[in-house]
Amino acid sequence: MVSKRGKFDVESVLKKNEDESLTQEELRGLLYKNFLSSGITDSLKSHLRIQLVEVLRNHSQKKKEPPFLLTRAINSIIILYLQNHSYSYTLSVFMPECGMSNTEPLSKEDVITVLQLTKLPIADRLSDPDNEEDLIWTIFKELSKPAPRKVEKEIQTDKPDESITKKLQGVEE
């Protein structure tokens, strides 16, 4: 029923129906089970959620302005993370909700520039083309490292006391 690639195989269901002459209820149950295992039901639910959000958004009287640059950069980091980890259902809800369904997310380089991450010690790691980690992963990994300890030492010096100087001169004579 479900092919090796995870897609629904209609021919195998129809062939099974011809071989076993399933009732309408059994066929319906078999189709539903195959839709579940192939991910079609999740895709449909996700698509319906997106459509519902868009309809509700269009019905509201006020138009939402495009997000500020900082908000757009933060949303872009999240979108890049969701895309890299194939969280398509979460992404399908997040993008319309944050107002970026019709706006392209900022690139990794643009996010680094907007958030002024080039001024940080981790700037080289963030902009390294060989670094395949997510931007958000790299940032959190660097933030979670213990900060280097600064050791400050103070030495107190006193002005030489005249009486000690005189005593030392007296000892030398």
Side-chain angles (χ1 to χ4, degrees), residues 111-140:
V111 170
I112 290 170
T113 304
V114 169
L115 297 179
Q116 299 179 3
L117 298 175
T118 54
K119 298 177 182 177
L120 298 177
I122 62 169
D124 294 337
R125 286 202 52 214
L126 293 173
S127 55
D128 181 11
D130 295 332
N131 182 8
E132 294 183 10
E133 291 179 337
D134 295 318
L135 181 61
I136 195 168
W137 181 261
T138 306
I139 291 169
F140 278 112

Side-chain angles (χ1 to χ4, degrees), residues 4-141:
K4 292 178 183 175
R5 288 183 267 160
K7 295 190 177 185
F8 181 69
D9 187 10
V10 176
E11 291 179 13
S12 63
V13 172
L14 293 175
K15 186 175 181 181
K16 187 170 185 172
N17 187 28
E18 290 173 2
D19 294 344
E20 298 177 12
S21 63
L22 299 172
T23 66
Q24 186 176 1
E25 286 300 314
E26 291 172 331
L27 180 61
R28 184 179 293 158
L30 184 63
L31 284 171
Y32 182 72
K33 195 183 302 182
N34 285 307
F35 285 157
L36 278 175
S37 63
S38 65
I40 292 174
T41 54
D42 289 334
S43 294
L44 286 173
K45 287 178 186 177
S46 174
H47 184 71
L48 287 173
R49 270 189 233 115
I50 292 170
Q51 295 301 316
L52 180 63
V53 168
E54 288 297 322
V55 167
L56 292 174
R57 183 162 287 149
N58 290 338
H59 277 282
S60 67
Q61 294 294 332
K62 58 181 182 179
K63 290 198 173 198
K64 192 172 185 179
E65 293 181 20
F68 291 110
L69 191 56
L70 179 61
T71 305
R72 188 169 171 216
I74 294 168
N75 289 340
S76 295
I77 289 175
I78 295 168
I79 289 169
L80 290 171
Y81 176 79
L82 294 174
Q83 286 173 339
N84 289 343
H85 291 278
S86 301
Y87 294 142
S88 57
Y89 302 118
T90 307
L91 189 61
S92 69
V93 174
F94 180 72
M95 287 191 63
E97 194 169 10
C98 72
M100 291 187 63
S101 57
N102 297 328
T103 307
E104 191 71 25
L106 298 176
S107 69
K108 182 178 178 180
E109 293 77 22
D110 291 339
V111 170
I112 290 170
T113 304
V114 169
L115 297 179
Q116 299 179 3
L117 298 175
T118 54
K119 298 177 182 177
L120 298 177
I122 62 169
D124 294 337
R125 286 202 52 214
L126 293 173
S127 55
D128 181 11
D130 295 332
N131 182 8
E132 294 183 10
E133 291 179 337
D134 295 318
L135 181 61
I136 195 168
W137 181 261
T138 306
I139 291 169
F140 278 112
K141 196 161 99 175

